[in-house]
Amino acid sequence: MGFLADSLSRIKPSATIAVTNKARELKAAGRDVIGLGAGEPDFDTPENIKEAGIRAIREGKTKYTAVDGIPELKAAIVAKFRRENHIDYAPAEVTVSAGGKQVLYNALMATLNVGDEVIIPAPYWVSYPEMVALGGGTPVIVQTTMESGFRLTPEALEAAITPRTKWIILCSPSNPTGAVYSAAQLRALTDVLLRHPHVWVMTDDMYEHLIYDGVRFATVVEVESRLKDRTLTVNGVSKAYAMTGWRIGYGAGPSMLIKAMATIQSQSTSNPTSISQYAAVEALTGTQDFIPKNAALFQQRRDLVVGMLNQANGLYCPMPEGAFYVYPSCAPAMGKTTKGGRKLATDEDFVTALLEEEGVAVVQGSAFGQGPAFRISYATATELLEEACIRIQRFCGNLT
Ligand code: PLP
């Protein structure tokens, strides 16, 4: 028997964090590296939000709080769901954690038994299958296709459901593909779910506000209120308000689940940081002006990146409608050799060679459950994106 828990052998460290660390190391060693691996906005938290955090410190709001969120923040979240998603939640149906990640983690830990299945459409956010496995559950990966815009079809969902299915995890706009489900596309899925009352829905709406081309955001409970008593709606301030380091995420769902999640949190991390909670109140109740401004900037960057990648030899990059990621296929590059003499058998070879030879850090598609492809985060200064795309074009142009 080894010292470490058996459960650890079921999971692997985050590939996105690994790429970010590798790029950081190379940079520290003096290499010219452009990191397109990290999933966070490159701009600063807005001033009014920072000030609210500073005020909280000055006013001594620096003590333990209620485990799953201060009443002011729960009220702000209730108002947000009403205002933006037309869903009525009570404060007892709302939980606040250290990032959306902890909300998802608490929910899975609070509900999974060994052998429970969780349906996860691929490409998926790296943490979903790992968290499920850590909780003793079985991730059931359902592949989507580029042709379907990386969206789960109702047929594929129906086929994946078994008596052991506990959850389905949906993410729209998607990390890593940027795919967005319209209300009609969600309706097709909720129609299937209505026929399977034992299946719960975890909807990860973290990128709600990063949506382009006038596309309208939709979420499960808004589309089908009959699923409200078995849906956890997850959201947070990290991406929309450039608050990744503050660590505040939230979820809303049936009070029985919310209570169980608070029990897990009470015995692990207690409350999320008091200061960050006050800052999050300001984020949700203060001016929202910068959200469309940032979305417009992201849309320009998306257009630039997709345009330039599609001019690269051996890449095909679909145009996503949301988040700040693109997910080009590098299938035509497989089997080729780089200028530096590296043979490319997998997308991992592709991204390693790209980093070594051109100093561009991206994440291999296999980490997200579908390849050969890679993910680019375009939450980076426009000049750097342009330079990175020039390097990718050169890298691909030199393949033989
Ligand atoms: N869900 C998705 C799809 C994400 O991409 C992320 C962050 O990368 C999270 C959840 C977690 O966000 P947070 O930083 O609030 O924990």
Side-chain angles (χ1 to χ4, degrees):
M1 290 281 271
F3 174 64
L4 298 176
D6 293 345
S7 57
L8 204 65
S9 66
R10 294 198 294 267
I11 68 166
K12 47 184 186 303
S14 161
T16 45
I17 293 177
V19 167
T20 310
N21 287 346
K22 176 98 190 276
R24 202 175 284 144
E25 269 168 36
L26 287 174
K27 242 187 229 171
R31 287 276 305 273
D32 166 22
V33 172
I34 304 176
L36 306 181
E40 64 181 347
D42 54 314
F43 32 80
D44 215 2
T45 307
E47 282 305 315
N48 62 313
I49 300 174
K50 287 202 239 176
E51 283 305 324
I54 293 166
R55 211 178 316 123
I57 296 176
R58 292 228 165 90
E59 290 174 1
K61 293 171 172 164
T62 52
K63 303 289 202 308
Y64 291 131
T65 72
V67 165
D68 65 355
I70 55 174
E72 298 92 316
L73 181 51
K74 286 198 174 192
I77 292 164
V78 165
K80 177 263 181 261
F81 279 121
R82 203 167 289 152
R83 178 179 77 234
E84 296 182 345
N85 311 108
H86 317 108
I87 309 173
D88 271 320
Y89 284 114
E93 295 174 311
V94 169
T95 188
V96 185
S97 297
K101 205 172 202 169
Q102 195 185 12
V103 176
L104 297 162
Y105 183 85
N106 287 346
L108 291 168
M109 294 308 135
T111 56
L112 289 182
N113 290 311
V114 171
D116 283 346
E117 295 175 355
V118 179
I119 298 174
I120 303 172
Y124 47 70
W125 183 47
V126 287
S127 295
Y128 301 143
E130 307 303 322
M131 285 188 196
V132 169
L134 195 59
T138 305
V140 175
I141 307 301
V142 181
Q143 291 295 331
T144 65
T145 62
M146 197 181 261
E147 293 69 38
S148 69
F150 299 111
R151 292 181 191 93
L152 181 65
T153 63
E155 297 76 23
L157 171 59
E158 182 81 59
I161 293 173
T162 77
R164 303 227 57 171
T165 307
K166 193 145 218 174
W167 289 100
I168 168 166
I169 305 182
L170 289 173
C171 180
S172 168
S174 154
N175 176 3
T177 65
V180 178
Y181 288 87
S182 68
Q185 286 157 343
L186 275 186
R187 154 71 50 201
L189 299 180
T190 60
D191 282 348
V192 174
L193 292 165
L194 283 174
R195 293 198 290 275
H196 298 278
H198 68 293
V199 180
W200 282 58
V201 188
M202 205 175 282
T203 169
D204 182 343
D205 299 350
M206 199 56 78
Y207 295 91
E208 168 176 7
H209 291 293
L210 301 169
I211 196 159
Y212 317 118
D213 305 328
V215 171
R216 223 189 132 266
F217 174 79
T219 188
V220 171
V221 178
E222 183 185 23
V223 167
E224 179 45 85
S225 60
R226 284 175 291 176
L227 291 178
K228 188 171 178 228
D229 61 2
R230 52 185 169 110
T231 297
L232 180 68
T233 305
V234 181
N235 210 317
V237 294
S238 298
K239 314 286 174 172
Y241 300 93
M243 291 178 71
T244 45
W246 297 77
R247 309 309 301 131
I248 295 290
Y250 55 87
S255 56
M256 167 274 287
L257 171 65
I258 295 298
K259 225 167 131 185
M261 290 164 65
T263 302
I264 305 263
Q265 190 158 298
S266 74
Q267 298 295 13
S268 52
T269 58
S270 300
N271 59 277
T273 311
S274 59
I275 301 153
S276 298
Q277 290 189 68
Y278 287 98
V281 171
E282 174 62 22
L284 294 177
T285 58
T287 173
Q288 307 289 305
D289 288 357
F290 54 89
I291 290 183
K293 274 192 217 141
N294 289 347
L297 180 63
F298 278 132
Q299 181 169 330
Q300 280 171 17
R301 290 174 178 176
R302 175 202 63 170
D303 293 347
L304 171 84
V305 170
V306 171
M308 288 185 78
L309 291 178
N310 278 325
Q311 283 161 24
N313 190 25
L315 293 186
Y316 172 68
C317 185
M319 178 71 84
E321 293 172 328
F324 39 61
Y325 307 104
V326 294
Y327 201 74
S329 161
C330 56
M334 296 298 94
K336 300 214 164 140
T337 304
T338 67
K339 191 174 176 196
R342 292 177 173 84
K343 183 110 179 136
L344 303 181
T346 64
D347 53 15
E348 199 166 353
D349 295 341
F350 183 96
V351 306
T352 304
L354 183 63
L355 181 56
E356 299 283 343
E357 297 183 20
E358 289 288 355
V360 178
V362 300
V363 186
Q364 67 277 14
S366 45
F368 307 102
Q370 193 182 107
F374 58 95
R375 186 193 76 173
I376 285 183
S377 162
Y378 56 82
T380 293
T382 307
E383 313 79 68
L384 283 178
L385 283 173
E386 204 161 1
E387 170 62 19
C389 289
I390 290 170
R391 294 185 191 185
I392 293 171
Q393 287 177 348
R394 185 166 61 216
F395 178 81
C396 291
N398 284 330
L399 296 175
T400 50

